[in-house]
Amino acid sequence: MKGKYLTLAAFVAGLVSLAYLQFARQETLPLQDEKKPSPAKAVDTSVSSTSPDDASLKNGIYESVGQYTSPEGEETVGVKVTLENGIITASEVTVQATDEISKRMQGKFKDAYQKEVIGKPISSIDLGVVGGSSLTPNGFEDALKKIREQAKS
């Protein structure tokens, strides 16, 4: 009987040790909240790595509507950008989706996309998932293509 208690005690001690090691390991990993974007900061717009094509674009404020396909069908997103020497110095997104899920995803994109585009050459924008949205970036990039054409003329 004494052997069973010793075995059980050893087993429990092992579990406690494993739990402690797991807890200690988690303490050294970055918290998920630390990965969240910090509040907007001033963006360095002095980027000079524009392509010759971007540098030849006319400075100004441009607007377009981008299109993309969601599981519920075609959706659009409004995009407004300010270009200076081919660099995006300001941008706004207007949620235009009709499907409720698409509206929510466009809203998430709108809350997170600026850090990915402000201060960057318009031709270098190649977005993946932004703010949890994987389809809205397609519409945004479609609008940017149209804006580049507008800025050429």
Side-chain angles (χ1 to χ4, degrees):
M1 186 86 150
K2 189 174 185 180
K4 287 184 181 180
Y5 285 119
L6 288 176
T7 305
L8 182 60
F11 179 75
V12 170
L15 285 177
V16 169
S17 295
L18 285 174
Y20 175 77
L21 290 174
Q22 180 67 20
F23 178 77
R25 185 176 146 273
Q26 287 178 350
E27 290 297 309
T28 61
L29 296 175
L31 298 174
Q32 288 292 74
D33 289 341
E34 292 175 352
K35 293 181 183 178
K36 290 184 180 174
S38 58
K41 296 179 182 175
V43 175
D44 179 12
T45 58
S46 64
V47 175
S48 60
S49 60
T50 59
S51 71
D53 286 341
D54 284 347
S56 68
L57 297 176
K58 292 181 184 175
N59 294 345
I61 299 171
Y62 298 91
E63 293 184 58
S64 185
V65 174
Q67 297 176 321
Y68 66 97
T69 303
S70 78
E72 298 302 319
E74 293 298 313
E75 293 290 0
T76 60
V77 61
V79 177
K80 181 177 179 180
V81 297
T82 301
L83 287 180
E84 292 180 19
N85 302 316
I87 305 290
I88 298 173
T89 59
S91 179
E92 295 176 27
V93 163
T94 304
V95 173
Q96 295 184 349
T98 56
D99 175 68
E100 287 304 315
I101 294 172
S102 295
K103 285 180 186 178
R104 187 173 71 242
M105 298 313 292
Q106 282 188 16
K108 288 182 174 192
F109 174 85
K110 181 178 179 177
D111 292 342
Y113 84 100
Q114 286 194 346
K115 68 180 180 190
E116 304 291 333
V117 300
I118 303 296
K120 297 187 179 163
I122 189 169
S123 65
S124 74
I125 305 302
D126 184 19
L127 303 175
V129 177
V130 177
S133 178
S134 60
L135 298 177
T136 306
N138 297 337
F140 183 85
E141 289 177 13
D142 180 56
L144 287 186
K145 286 179 190 174
K146 295 172 185 175
I147 287 170
R148 284 190 79 228
E149 289 302 314
Q150 291 174 25
K152 285 181 183 179
S153 48

